[in-house]
Structures are given as C-alpha cells and as structure tokens.
Amino acid sequence: MFLNMFRKFQKLIFKTVILAAGLASAGFGISQMSSNASAQTRETYHQVSDPKNGGLHAHGKEADMSKSFFDRYAAPKDISSTGHRMMWLFRYTSWVTLFFFVLMAGALVGFIWVYRDRPGRVAYYTHGHSTTMEAVVPKILDIAVFVSLDLVLIGASFLHTGGSFGIPYTQLKYSIDHPIWDFPKGPDVVNVQIMPQQWVWNFRYAGNDGVFGTEDDITTVNQLVVPKGRKVMAQIKSKDVIHGFWMTNVRIQMDAIPGMVTRFWFDTTQTGEYEITCAHHCGTNHYKMKAFLKVIEDQDFIAWTKENSDWAQAAYDANDPSTKWGWNWSLYQ
Amino acid sequence: MQITLSTASTTVGRPKLTHSQVGMFVTMASFAMLFGTLLMSYLLIRSRQVNWPPIGVEPLSPMMPALSTLVLLISSGLFHASCTRLKTQKIAEAKMFWRIGTYLGAVFMVLQFFICWQWRIEGLVAGESLFASIIYTLIGVHFFHALASWLSLIWVYFKSKFWSGTSEAPSVSEAPLITTWFWHFLDAVWIVTFVLIFVG
Amino acid sequence: MSKDQHHQGFMDEQTAHSHLFEAHDEHLHEAPKSFFWKYIISFDAKMIAKQFMWFGLFWGFIGALMSVMIRWAISQPGVPFPLIGKFLFPYTNGVIPADWYTSLFTMHGTIMIFLALTPIIIGFIGNFSIPLMIGARDMIFPWLNMASFWTGFAGGVVILASLFLPMGPSGAGWTSYPTIAHKQWLVGPGHSFWLVGLFLVGFSSIMGAINYITTIIRLRAPGMTWGRLPLTIWSLFLTSILNALFIPVLAAGFILLFLDREYGTNFFLAAAITEKGTSGDPILYQHLFWIFGHPEVYIVILPGWGLVADLLSFFSRKPAFGYRGTVISMTAITVLSTVVYGHHMFTTGLSPLLTSAFTTLTLLISIPSGIFFLNWLATIWRGRIQLKTPMIFSLGMVFTFGLGGLTGLHLGAVSTNMMLHNSYFVVGHFHLTMAASSLLASYAALYFWVPKAFGRMMDEKLGVAHFWLTFTPIVYMFCTMFIEGYAGMQRRIYHPNEYNYLQHLQGLNQYIAIFAAIGFFAQFIFLYNLCKSIKSGKKAGNNPWNIGTLEWTVSSPAPFYNFKKIPTVFNGPHEFSNPKFAEKGLNRDFIMQDEYIEGVSP
Ligand code: HEA
Ligand code: HEA
Ligand code: CUA
Ligand SMILES: [Cu+2]
C-alpha cells in the first residue's frame, strides 16, 4: 500500500517538476518582455492594490528594455556631491570581487572537470604543509585579495566618513573635503529637524529668525524642500518606533531613533522631486511611508522660506499641539 | 550488559577534572555571560542617567542586602566544608554541613524576597522608574537561578547514592561537588551585583 | 618530542581522569525496547539526531512555504494566494494582507534560522557525528541531550502556537528591534510568544553546546588527538563555544524586552514615549542583539564549513589541504566574530571612530575566510573527484559561499553600507551565505549520513535532480536580489510598487517568485527520496563511501552503543591515495583511522 502511495507521489513529483520548469521559462519570458501596460499613476495603483477591490493584478512599470542591462537596473540617479565616492567604491568592490569570484569559480569548475573520477586517475597525495610551494600560492592569492579589496575599502571608508582613529581628520594626508561625519555649520547651511512617526515624515525649519522652537518655524509633512547646491544639516529623531531616513538619490541613510538625536548632512546638485523612503521596518504601513525631496533653486528656496515662515507666524495657534515638536538645535550641534 | 561511556580503561594518573566538572565549567561560563550582560546593561543604563537614583527616590539602604550577602557567603562556605568532609569520607559531618547550608540558602532567598517586598511597600515599583526596574530585574534573575540551584542541592541531598562512596571510589562526590560549584558561582555573581548596586 | 612520545602523552591524558569515571556506577543500559523510550524520550544521540532532523525538516517546509508567500505578496500584489490563500486569509478573500506580510517575513526568518537550520546543522550533524566520529559510545550527558531536544521542541510548540493567535504572530522582524517590538506598537501576545519560544530554543542550544564541548574534550577515543579530529568535529566544537557564550547575551536581551512588554518596564523605551522620567535606550537592545547576532550567523555556517572541508577531501580521495590552516582560520573567525557586530549598526549614528574600527575588523575576517576557502579549492585540485550527491552539494556550497562571502565586503565597508543597508542587497547576501551555503551543507550532511543513520542509500538520480532544482533557483534568486538592492529596493516592504523608482523592478520580482516556487517544490523530491530510501533504498554496507573516519567502521545503521570496543586511533581523518598503500599491499586508496599500518601510520 505504501509502495503504491509512493509511486503515485513520485508521479506527482515529476509532474510538479515539469510544471515548475515550464513556469520558470514562462516567468523568464514575462520578466524579459517589455510591455506598454506601464505608467500607472499612483492613484490607480492604489485602487488596484486594495485587497477589497477584488484581486486585480497590479503590475509595476516594465523595465525599459531599450537600455543596456546595467542602465536598466542602475542605482537611482545620484544628485549629491558626495555620492560619487560611494558609487566609485561600490563599483570598485564589485569589479574586484567579480574578478576574484570568476577566478575562483573558474578554478572550481575547472578542477571538477579536469580531475573528475575516471579510469586511471590517481589523486595526488599531499597535506599541503606550509613549507611546500603549492601551499604558498593560496596565501599569496589571499594577500592579493586583502590588499586589492580590503585595504582599499578600509582606506576609502575612512576617508569618506572621516573616521581616523582619533587622529584629527584634517591632518590626514589624503583627507577629502567633506567626509560624511564632518558636519557643516554656518549661515549658509540649511538646518532641518526631522521627526518621523508611524507612518509620516515631519520636517521642521527654523524659519525667518533662524531659531528652532519659535512661532515662525516652518513645519511640513512628507515634503523636504532644499535649495540646490547648499549644504543641508539634519537632526533626526523618531517619535515612536525606529524609522530609517533614506534618500536613495543622495546615497544617505540614517536611522531615526526615539529618544536619541542622530545627525547627517547632504547637498544636492540637481533640482527636481525625488522619493525618500523609510528603510527600517516600522509596522504595517512601513512599505508606504514615503516622503518627497524637493530640490529647488536657491532663490526660490529663500522665497519659499520667507513665505512659509510668515504664514506660520500668522497662523500660529498656541493650542494646536501638532506643530509643537522639536528640540533645541544647539544641544546636538 | 554494562558498558561505560569512558574511553580508556586502565591505570591511575594525575588527578584531573571529571567529565561533569568540565561540563559545569562550560555551564558557568555560559551563565556568566548572561549575568555579565545584565550587569553591563545596568551600568550602561545607569551611566545614561543624570540622577541615580532618580529624584524622589531614596538611595537604597545596603544593610539588609548586606545581611543576605553574608548569609549566602556562609552557606557557600558550609557547602565547601561539606565537600571537603565528603572527600575524606566523613559522611555524617558532610551531610550536616550540607543541611545547614541548604537552610541558609533558604534564608537567603527569603531575605531577598523580603527586601524586595519592603521596597515595594515603600513605593519602589518596578516599571515606574528604570532604577526600580533594573534593580528588581537583577535581583529577580539571580533569585530564580538561586532557586533552581537550591532545588538541585536538595535533590543531591536526598539522592543517597551520592553519599555512600568509599575511599577507593571518591568520585561519588562528583554530583555534590558540581552542584555546589554552581551555588558558589551564584554567590560570586551576587557579590558583584551587590557591589554594583549598593556600593559602587 | 617524537610522534611516539606524543602519542604516549596523549594516552596518559586520556586515562588520567578515567578512574574517576570508571568507578561511577552510572552505566548505560540496554537498548530500550518500548516505543516510548526508543523514539520519544530517547537518550541515544543517534536517535536524538533523527528527532532533530525531522523537527528541522518540518519547520523547513513551513519556513519555505512562508518564503513563497512572501514572494507572492511582492510580485502579485492584490492577487489571492493560490490554493490555501482563501483558508488563511478569508477576510481579504485570499490576498495576503500587509500586516500579515510583516508576520510572514518575521516568522520566515525566525523559523528558518532557529527551527530549521539550527536543528539540522547543529542538532542533527552534532548528535550524529560527534560520538561516532570521535569514537565514543554516546554523548557525555545523554540526559542533557534528551532535555535539549525536548526543550527545543517546546520552543517550537510555542512558536507554532503563536501562528494561530487571534492577532497573529510576531511582526517585528527576526531582529525584533524595539521599539516596534513593544506592546504599544505590536499589540497582541504574538511577540511575547515569540520571545518565550526563542528563549526555550536558545536554552536548548546552550544545553546542546555544553554537551558537545564536554564530549569533544573528554570522550575522544585513545589516539584521537586534536590534530586527528575530522574538521566537522572541529567546527562543531567552535560553534558550540559560540553557542554557549553568546546565546546567554541574547537571553538577557530577551528577558529585558519581555519585561518591557509584559510588565511595563522601560529598558528600551525613551522617556519621551513613556513619560516616566528616566529614559531607556532602544539602541542597547541592538547592541545586545548583534553581540549575539553576528556570532549566530557563524554558528549556523561553521559546521557547514567543517563538513564541506571533510567532504571535499573524502570525495576527492585526497587529504584535506592545509588541515592546520583550516583549523586555525576557523578558530580565528570564531574569535573575530565576537568583535565585528557593529557592522549591523552603521546607520545608528555610531561615532566615526567606532564605525571605522568595525569596518576594519569586519574586513579582517575575509583573510581567514580566504585561507580556508582556498584550502577547499586546493583540496580538490589534482584529486580524483567522485561526484556523489554529498559531494555535489558541497561543491555547490563552495560556489554560493564565495558569492555570499564576497558581497559581505560591500556591506562591511561603512561607506558603501550607507547606501546598501536595509536593502535587498543585504537580503541577497545573507541568503547566499545562510539560505544557500548552510542549507546546501545541511543537505550534504543528510545525503552523507543517511546511509549510516538508516542503513540505506539515498537515490543518486533524485539527489542530483534535487541539487539542480535547488541550486539553480537559489543562485538566480539571490543574485537578482543584489540587482534590486543596488537599484534601491528596501527590504521588508510589502509592495515595492508603492515607489515610482522601484516599479521597473517588478519583472525581476516576478522572476524571483517563480524560482522561489521551483525551489520550494524541489524540496519534495528530497522528502520523497528520503522516505523512499529509508523504506526501501539500497542497503548500505558498513562503508559505502570508502572513507576512513570512525563512523564507517561500524555497521549501518550504527548499533546502539556505536562501538563494541572503543577504537584506538592511529591516523588522521583524511588518509587517501597515499602512494605507500600499494607498497603495503593494500588494494584500496584509503585507510581507516583505527587501522595501524606499519610505515604509513605516523
Ligand atoms: C551564514 C551566515 C553569514 C555569513 C557566513 C556571513 C558572512 C559575512 N557577512 Fe553577513 N550577514 C548575515 C549572515 C552571514 N554573513 C545575515 C543573516 C545578515 C543580516 C541580518 C539582518 O539584518 O537581518 C548579514 C548582514 C551583514 C552585514 C550588515 C548589512 C546591513 O544590514 O547593512 C554585514 C556588514 O558588514 C555583513 C558582512 C559579512 C562579512 C564581511 C562576512 C564574511 O565572513 C565573509 C567572508 C567570506 C569571504 C570574503 C569569501 C570567501 C573568500 C574568498 C572567496 C577568497 C577570495 C578568492 C580568491 C582569492 C580566488 N553581513
Ligand atoms: C536559513 C535561513 C533562510 C532560508 C533557507 C531562506 C529561504 C528563502 N528565503 Fe528568506 N529570510 C531569512 C532566512 C532564510 N530564508 C531571514 C533571516 C530573513 C530576514 C527576515 C527579516 O527581515 O526579519 C529572510 C527574508 C526573506 C525575504 C525578505 C523579506 C523582506 O524583507 O520583505 C525574502 C524575499 O524574497 C526571502 C525569500 C526566501 C526564499 C525565496 C527562500 C527560498 O530559498 C525558499 C525555497 C526553499 C528552499 C531552498 C529549501 C527550504 C528548506 C527545507 C524545505 C528544509 C530544511 C532543510 C534543511 C535546512 C536541510 N527571505
Ligand atoms: Cu518608517 Cu519604516
Ligand atoms: Cu554580521
């Protein structure tokens, strides 16, 4: 009886396998097909994805197949003045690891083929003791990896972040202008306080008087407006759970933690509207906790600040708690 | 069929740790990490506060805890004495020390409980301030380990096979030895905890 | 010291303590006859190994099913999950809801790591191989061993129960970061169940670790010096050390978090939230978690490394290349793994000093990793490679570990980590190391030892089919995840389409989903193969693979007491293809570890 069951089971298995293989090729087809069922607006997308709306199929946009593979799945456009260092390091790491990986995989596959068991093949007897020549080769390779990869990564990371084991960063021979932990200060710098909560982003600007916590503070929701080319210094703290402030286009990610202020700075080189995402799992709607980064020209920004600060001053309502958040900027400078 | 786990079968050699003792060392290392982590957390939490104890909370008096520390120390000593008696096969004496040690262990736990109860009555409520929470947690986690260790000591006491060894086969003292080791270990943990909470 | 003296010294050490144990009147009893004592409350390491195996497989299937549901939710937004969707989510007509999605990835990660992989790669491999490979009759503390399994089982039951809670299981991610893990934001008892369940599972691992460490130190057969231990045993030893030392750290974190949730303490809650005056610290939990968490990822791969190092040698009919180097580098990684944990917290505002220190330490790990990795390659170099199923899985593991390990470097550098943290790049990295490497190594172990455990061979053809239908999907899936991560897709999101800049990735997402389904269904081949082989596979002789380690000296399935007479060991574990064998008139290319051959054995 068991045997029979097993036989049936066996058939079933093989059917599933065939089915799965079919599905695979189909899927490959789908994923590679370019289609014009693209460009859904946000609104329709929401309708479609609403479970109660009956299981409609919501496609994303299809990838633009006219582009090369690398361009098609490139990282989001870099609009910062610092991101290129990260991109360089990423590419460098990728190419070097790829090189070693190919070397290694080549050796693996090559050995499997060349030394496969066949009549007459005798294995070479060695324990690879450290004195022998053959034992030196792996070590050399390993050192090559270390020098070409790890040392570069470490060095570049130091330069990039300004981490320098206690040596004043500016005294390092190869220090670069703006490591990410070298926080800018001064009248030219735009200061922003960011306080996410489930599941919106609150932003706060000091307003006309340049002081946080006054009546003319500008507060925005889900929209970060910054002037192109100027440095932006942000202090960030969460209201409830941990969120992750991630501007993919600026290559900056910083956690927002309740009860603790974290800081970062960035600047932008191109105007436009970009998406800001939440990187840390923060509950059911984490997936749509999204804000927009609006980069505008400097003079527009000055006008924007003036207008909104005046408006905030006028509309100030001492009894409205919703805008009364924030902290003393200078405490965390 | 009687087969032992052991490997080689002959001769004498240098006295060494028994298997169970090795196991107990590993166990203690493991639990040391547990208490170590809790104590580190305590220190970290404490270092982040401006006022410790927080404003409105009286500093805790170390008197009663000092007493319970003393009781614990004495019981540890008694267990040690019991084990040395056991090695020289003075079974009756060993059992007596063991018994008193167990009583004192019970006294220690009652004292701990009483101390916490007293604090509670005086208004130090876990959950109301970090100060209270972390101190109750440290004492509580230690308390439950002490309880488990104490139960194992009682169990050993009533297992007569551990107490009927001969001088040719002193290894029968293995179970008493390692259970007291864990008690000594908890003793040490408590002393560190005591110092960190009430003295340091 | 000559080899002889060395040997003599070792014998002394072995016998020195034995008088203490000999006199112990605790003897093993005859093999239990009744079902209950034989299969349920078993004290026999081999039976406990099998219990762990079934336990792990059961959970593996649940975890894998969850991963398929994850992929479905991402790639088919708004479409009901086929077949079982309507039963599971009747209130949304079968569509996986967003809150359940959080529970799915949480439970998928938890189950896969703690309830599927750990029981197999440590519970099964450890219990099965340690006594047999070192020449012992059983684990040193059989009772503790039994307790370890049943504590783990109880933990599993708690986790299983949490799946059926009215408000659903935990949804805080397998990392369970506060403050999302607090009651205020994760209402319902699910997460407390999760904490209790994992606490039990962790306790089970600690008990196992104590047992493994003591057994390996104490019960090695005469002559089984540290230098003659199979590498599997070495790696299990190191894993157990990490287990014994770092699970308690997690336990402490869990205790504090549990108190936070159930008793309103605020260890991990900031003052602004609780309005209780003194302020707890959510980052403290992250420190505690990752002090444990990083060693944990090596805990689940170390046995795989050791096992693969052994299997590559066994099936290349060639001694393991650089045995000593492999051991030293595994030990170095064990030590280093305790001081690199900060690389999971680069974006929490650690000081530049700390981040650079952690970057450096993290990248240092690649040196020892490279050493044993290249030793693996050198082992198969000029060997006589027999592509039996365990070997195929081992070779697959080498491939995926290379990929997964090298991408760890992108993440290890704080600079690039700023851009890749919390993206699918991380997901790709840890699936290639864990879900591919550890998984393939576990399968290699199963294929390798099932003949010894059950006395029957597994089917080679089905094994190969299983390999390709598992290996291909996992490599495709997880490498595609690197592309997505690079393109900026965050992990743990329900609908990537929510973001405009992620919409063009939908094709890739569907592509992954299809391979996930194939990978999932392919596991049934294994299950079928396993059940069939146990019932009616070809009978395995004592030594079907022609290998010299001690477990192959006894009959298959291994007898209750493993060894009638405790063997005396003379040779290393990998004595293959020594040209001297022919001179000695041996017509085989291996010798057993307990075989003394004049002029060949050291
Ligand atoms: C088995 C599990 C496993 C293993 C082995 C590793 C190995 C490594 N991991 Fe991974 N890691 C995880 C499991 C694992 N990891 C998990 C689960 C997470 C995510 C947790 C979460 O957030 O949910 C994670 C996350 C993670 C992060 C955090 C990412 C983030 O959240 O931002 C980082 C960062 O440094 C990292 C780094 C590394 C490094 C440097 C190694 C190194 O050990 C790798 C060393 C190996 C090699 C370098 C390759 C082998 C060497 C060669 C191929 C030699 C060269 C070749 C030739 C000369 C030919 N890992
Ligand atoms: C060992 C661990 C393991 C394994 C095997 C897997 C297997 C898979 N995982 Fe998983 N995964 C994790 C550990 C693992 N994962 C962790 C830790 C997370 C993070 C969770 C979090 O964010 O909190 C995660 C998260 C995660 C995500 C991200 C979710 C998100 O961030 O939104 C995705 C998405 O695609 C995914 C997919 C898959 C797929 C398609 C497989 C496929 O490989 C599944 C196909 C099945 C198999 C290949 C075999 C399964 C095994 C058995 C049936 C038997 C078991 C037997 C042995 C172990 C020998 N996983
Ligand atoms: Cu906020 Cu995720
Ligand atoms: Cu890590």
Side-chain angles (χ1 to χ4, degrees):
Chain A
M1 188 205 88
F2 253 114
L3 230 87
N4 254 337
M5 259 170 62
F6 275 130
R7 284 218 185 94
K8 275 190 194 144
F9 192 30
Q10 192 172 9
K11 274 190 193 150
L12 195 81
I13 291 286
F14 280 119
K15 274 187 198 152
T16 10
V17 170
I18 292 167
L19 196 80
L23 272 174
S25 32
F28 194 82
I30 293 171
S31 69
Q32 297 301 310
M33 226 156 46
S34 63
S35 115
N36 45 14
S38 58
Q40 265 170 333
T41 61
R42 222 175 105 77
E43 285 72 22
T44 56
Y45 171 67
H46 262 290
Q47 269 175 8
V48 175
S49 69
D50 187 355
K52 283 184 225 92
N53 223 335
L56 276 171
H57 197 122
H59 291 286
K61 261 199 310 249
E62 294 298 340
D64 182 354
M65 300 308 281
S66 61
K67 288 183 187 159
S68 79
F69 184 82
F70 284 103
D71 291 340
R72 211 183 313 150
Y73 299 116
K77 188 166 66 178
D78 177 16
I79 57 158
S80 70
S81 72
T82 52
H84 66 273
R85 292 183 210 136
M86 226 174 251
M87 297 314 288
W88 180 86
L89 193 59
F90 182 89
R91 275 189 220 110
Y92 178 84
T93 319
S94 302
W95 285 118
V96 179
T97 45
L98 192 70
F99 171 77
F100 283 114
F101 180 72
V102 168
L103 201 68
M104 179 227 37
L108 183 70
V109 176
F111 290 169
I112 295 173
W113 177 251
V114 176
Y115 304 122
R116 72 189 184 281
D117 189 11
R118 52 180 192 269
R121 165 107 208 113
V122 180
Y124 164 58
Y125 181 74
T126 175
H127 283 93
H129 286 307
S130 45
T131 44
T132 49
M133 189 54 212
E134 65 220 26
V136 177
V137 176
K139 275 167 205 135
I140 292 176
L141 261 174
D142 198 46
I143 292 168
V145 180
F146 182 70
V147 173
S148 63
L149 253 175
D150 295 359
L151 286 185
V152 174
L153 275 166
I154 293 171
S157 284
F158 276 31
L159 291 183
H160 194 171
T161 60
S164 50
F165 282 125
I167 310 162
Y169 179 75
T170 41
Q171 287 176 20
L172 287 181
K173 194 164 170 209
Y174 296 105
S175 56
I176 48 178
D177 335 336
H178 317 291
I180 44 182
W181 270 299
D182 181 14
F183 298 131
K185 245 195 235 174
D188 236 24
V189 178
V190 181
N191 292 338
V192 196
Q193 290 186 339
I194 307 175
M195 188 182 69
Q197 71 190 76
Q198 278 181 333
W199 287 277
V200 290
W201 295 95
N202 299 302
F203 300 97
R204 188 179 198 94
Y205 299 80
N208 290 334
D209 61 358
V211 182
F212 281 93
T214 52
E215 293 176 8
D216 67 349
D217 284 9
I218 307 168
T219 53
T220 63
V221 173
N222 285 349
Q223 192 171 49
L224 176 61
V225 183
V226 298
K228 189 184 96 181
R230 265 167 72 185
K231 286 185 180 159
V232 183
M233 179 68 210
Q235 293 185 351
I236 172 165
K237 174 180 176 172
S238 168
K239 186 175 175 190
D240 38 37
V241 304
I242 297 177
H243 301 271
F245 186 78
W246 189 12
M247 297 181 292
T248 45
N249 297 86
V250 185
R251 310 284 189 265
I252 281 282
Q253 186 180 143
M254 186 50 73
D255 291 358
I257 298 157
M260 178 179 156
V261 171
T262 46
R263 297 167 297 166
F264 64 89
W265 74 270
F266 68 96
D267 60 6
T268 47
T269 55
Q270 284 173 46
T271 56
E273 205 180 42
Y274 307 93
E275 280 164 316
I276 298 173
T277 79
C278 178
H280 250 288
H281 171 50
C282 56
T284 307
N285 288 341
H286 158 63
Y287 71 99
K288 48 184 178 189
M289 182 164 164
K290 152 165 143 179
F292 291 92
L293 172 68
K294 206 168 155 195
V295 185
I296 53 182
E297 296 294 344
D298 196 16
Q299 68 266 29
D300 296 343
F301 182 75
I302 294 169
W304 180 87
T305 312
K306 170 107 185 51
E307 184 188 333
N308 283 279
S309 189
D310 289 347
W311 185 84
Q313 177 84 48
Y316 183 75
D317 175 0
N319 297 320
D320 176 11
S322 68
T323 55
K324 287 225 196 76
W325 56 272
W327 50 90
N328 187 339
W329 179 270
S330 50
L331 271 185
Y332 301 99
Q333 222 168 13
Chain B
M1 184 166 62
Q2 289 208 324
I3 300 183
T4 58
L5 275 174
S6 183
T7 50
S9 53
T10 38
T11 64
V12 247
R14 290 158 285 151
K16 278 242 177 171
L17 296 176
T18 65
H19 299 327
S20 307
Q21 285 170 339
V22 175
M24 187 39 90
F25 264 122
V26 183
T27 314
M28 290 194 306
S30 191
F31 281 88
M33 288 298 282
L34 175 77
F35 287 108
T37 310
L38 287 173
L39 290 169
M40 281 305 293
S41 308
Y42 164 77
L43 290 178
L44 265 165
I45 288 173
R46 185 175 167 168
S47 69
R48 288 185 90 240
Q49 315 300 332
V50 190
N51 299 302
W52 192 266
I55 296 160
V57 177
E58 291 284 301
L60 300 174
S61 152
M63 289 319 290
M64 288 300 282
L67 182 66
S68 69
T69 312
L70 193 68
V71 171
L72 186 59
L73 263 175
I74 298 174
S75 85
S76 238
L78 286 167
F79 284 121
H80 181 69
S82 175
C83 285
T84 51
R85 297 299 182 289
L86 201 56
K87 266 187 204 126
T88 50
Q89 295 307 308
K90 294 184 186 140
I91 303 291
E93 258 179 68
K95 280 195 106 164
M96 186 193 69
F97 280 130
W98 193 279
R99 215 162 43 232
I100 308 175
T102 322
Y103 291 149
L104 287 185
V107 171
F108 168 74
M109 285 185 291
V110 172
L111 272 175
Q112 295 288 82
F113 190 78
F114 174 74
I115 291 166
C116 292
W117 190 255
Q118 196 62 34
W119 287 340
R120 175 69 231 263
I121 288 171
E122 286 165 11
L124 189 72
V125 182
E128 254 164 39
S129 69
L130 256 187
F131 177 76
S133 304
I134 188 72
I135 284 175
Y136 282 125
T137 305
L138 287 176
I139 296 180
V141 172
H142 183 267
F143 178 88
F144 284 112
H145 283 82
L147 186 63
S149 175
W150 187 75
L151 290 175
S152 75
L153 290 166
I154 292 188
W155 177 76
V156 167
Y157 183 81
F158 285 111
K159 271 285 197 192
S160 55
K161 70 172 179 181
F162 296 132
W163 304 88
S164 56
T166 60
S167 44
E168 284 81 57
S171 68
V172 286
S173 65
E174 193 176 39
L177 200 62
I178 62 163
T179 39
T180 54
W181 274 12
F182 199 72
W183 187 258
H184 298 322
F185 166 74
L186 290 175
D187 192 352
V189 168
W190 173 250
I191 288 172
V192 177
T193 314
F194 175 79
V195 169
L196 287 180
I197 296 182
F198 299 103
V199 185
Chain C
M1 194 159 69
S2 82
K3 282 266 150 74
D4 259 302
Q5 277 169 323
H6 187 80
H7 194 82
Q8 198 53 48
F10 181 78
M11 293 287 278
D12 278 353
E13 191 186 301
Q14 275 284 309
T15 48
H17 52 87
S18 62
H19 72 281
L20 292 168
F21 200 80
E22 253 351 66
H24 207 302
D25 63 350
E26 209 172 55
H27 293 289
L28 286 183
H29 303 283
E30 277 180 50
K33 297 264 163 14
S34 74
F35 182 83
F36 182 76
W37 293 104
K38 188 164 177 202
Y39 294 107
I40 313 285
I41 306 293
S42 171
F43 296 91
D44 176 18
K46 293 183 295 298
M47 184 53 69
I48 295 173
K50 289 180 198 170
Q51 290 175 327
F52 268 120
M53 182 189 86
W54 292 114
F55 182 72
L57 285 176
F58 169 77
W59 281 107
F61 274 92
I62 296 195
L65 180 63
M66 285 178 164
S67 78
V68 174
M69 290 165 78
I70 290 176
R71 290 317 310 177
W72 186 273
I74 293 176
S75 63
Q76 311 286 351
V79 183
F81 191 72
L83 300 176
I84 52 173
K86 288 236 164 36
F87 297 105
L88 295 178
F89 316 108
Y91 40 92
T92 53
N93 221 356
V95 178
I96 297 165
D99 56 344
W100 259 94
Y101 181 79
T102 65
S103 296
L104 278 178
F105 67 70
T106 302
M107 298 318 280
H108 162 72
T110 312
I111 286 172
M112 281 302 198
I113 294 181
F114 294 103
L115 296 171
L117 210 52
T118 311
I120 291 186
I121 208 160
I122 299 177
F124 171 77
I125 301 190
N127 277 307
F128 195 77
S129 72
I130 291 178
L132 277 167
M133 279 188 142
I134 66 174
R137 296 216 156 99
D138 199 341
M139 281 292 184
I140 198 158
F141 307 124
W143 197 91
L144 193 65
N145 210 7
M146 181 279 291
S148 164
F149 174 74
W150 285 104
T151 314
F153 190 86
V157 170
V158 175
I159 300 272
L160 189 65
S162 84
L163 296 179
F164 301 100
L165 289 172
M167 309 196 64
S170 164
W174 84 281
T175 47
S176 156
Y177 278 2
T179 52
I180 185 70
H182 277 87
K183 257 230 154 78
Q184 289 90 323
W185 296 281
L186 208 63
V187 281
H191 196 66
S192 298
F193 271 64
W194 186 92
L195 288 170
V196 172
L198 282 200
F199 195 87
L200 291 172
V201 171
F203 198 56
S204 146
S205 288
I206 294 177
M207 289 196 261
I210 293 169
N211 219 340
Y212 293 3
I213 294 174
T214 318
T215 307
I216 295 173
I217 294 181
R218 277 306 158 94
L219 291 192
R220 280 169 291 126
M224 181 61 91
T225 55
W226 289 99
R228 289 183 193 149
L229 280 180
L231 289 163
T232 313
I233 305 299
W234 260 109
S235 61
L236 282 162
F237 184 65
L238 297 169
T239 282
S240 303
I241 291 176
L242 288 178
N243 251 336
L245 292 185
F246 290 98
I247 289 186
V249 178
L250 179 74
F254 276 7
I255 290 173
L256 299 183
L257 187 54
F258 187 80
L259 293 174
D260 268 15
R261 277 181 64 85
E262 297 300 330
Y263 297 95
T265 57
N266 57 332
F267 297 119
F268 304 131
L269 279 182
I273 290 170
T274 58
E275 280 147 14
K276 274 179 188 159
T278 47
S279 180
D281 183 0
I283 296 301
L284 174 60
Y285 175 88
Q286 294 192 16
H287 284 289
L288 299 186
F289 185 86
W290 289 117
I291 288 176
F292 153 81
H294 189 82
E296 167 68 19
V297 307
Y298 291 105
I299 286 170
V300 294
I301 192 114
L302 264 164
W305 289 343
L307 181 88
V308 164
D310 274 344
L311 291 190
L312 290 179
S313 148
F314 294 162
F315 291 95
S316 307
R317 318 304 298 168
K318 202 177 153 244
F321 192 94
Y323 177 98
R324 185 182 288 257
T326 306
V327 170
I328 291 175
S329 52
M330 288 200 299
T331 314
I333 293 175
T334 307
V335 175
L336 274 176
S337 76
T338 62
V339 289
V340 301
Y341 74 93
H343 63 219
H344 296 272
M345 298 166 60
F346 281 149
T347 56
T348 54
L350 292 180
S351 77
L353 178 64
L354 277 177
T355 53
S356 351
F358 279 126
T359 296
T360 314
L361 288 166
T362 301
L363 296 180
L364 279 182
I365 288 195
S366 63
I367 302 178
S369 305
I371 291 182
F372 71 66
F373 193 92
L374 292 162
N375 278 346
W376 291 347
L377 289 183
T379 301
I380 63 171
W381 167 73
R382 295 184 68 182
R384 182 159 67 83
I385 298 170
Q386 302 172 324
L387 289 176
K388 304 273 176 55
T389 330
M391 182 62 164
I392 300 179
F393 275 87
S394 306
L395 292 167
M397 187 277 197
V398 175
F399 186 85
T400 52
F401 180 71
L403 269 175
L406 287 171
T407 49
L409 304 179
H410 293 79
L411 298 170
V414 51
S415 191
T416 36
N417 185 284
M418 288 296 219
M419 156 186 164
L420 299 170
H421 183 57
N422 277 324
S423 75
Y424 259 71
F425 199 93
V426 179
V427 179
H429 159 72
F430 70 69
H431 277 94
L432 273 171
T433 45
M434 211 159 50
S437 306
S438 299
L439 180 100
L440 293 178
S442 315
Y443 275 130
L446 289 174
Y447 280 104
F448 183 61
W449 276 309
V450 156
K452 188 53 70 186
F454 296 98
R456 290 176 189 271
M457 303 300 287
M458 305 249 309
D459 190 297
E460 285 279 322
K461 281 214 184 74
L462 287 178
V464 174
H466 173 221
F467 173 76
W468 285 110
L469 285 173
T470 308
F471 177 78
T472 325
I474 52 190
V475 171
Y476 279 164
M477 281 194 285
F478 302 139
C479 288
T480 312
M481 288 183 184
F482 291 133
I483 302 175
E484 294 187 335
Y486 178 64
M489 178 166 154
Q490 317 90 305
R491 62 192 283 204
R492 295 173 172 173
I493 51 171
Y494 176 52
H495 286 175
N497 287 352
E498 204 61 40
Y499 293 89
N500 291 321
Y501 76 101
L502 295 179
Q503 294 198 351
H504 68 291
L505 299 178
Q506 194 60 8
L508 295 183
N509 280 325
Q510 284 163 354
Y511 176 80
I512 298 179
I514 287 158
F515 279 108
I518 299 175
F520 174 67
F521 286 118
Q523 307 314 310
F524 289 100
I525 305 179
F526 171 77
L527 205 63
Y528 168 71
N529 192 351
L530 182 67
C531 296
K532 192 186 124 180
S533 308
I534 292 174
K535 254 197 101 62
S536 59
K538 202 172 83 209
K539 277 222 155 46
N542 286 4
N543 195 353
W545 312 116
N546 295 330
I547 284 165
T549 48
L550 293 177
E551 78 267 35
W552 304 105
T553 59
V554 299
S555 60
S556 306
F560 183 63
Y561 284 118
N562 296 356
F563 302 96
K564 269 211 189 65
K565 182 175 162 300
I566 296 291
T568 305
V569 175
F570 300 100
N571 307 306
H574 313 117
E575 284 306 312
F576 293 102
S577 305
N578 189 336
K580 285 193 197 142
F581 291 170
E583 294 165 23
K584 298 287 161 194
L586 290 177
N587 58 353
R588 50 190 154 102
D589 65 350
F590 67 101
I591 50 174
M592 308 305 289
Q593 279 196 277
D594 62 349
E595 211 173 3
Y596 186 78
I597 294 173
E598 201 55 54
V600 175
S601 303

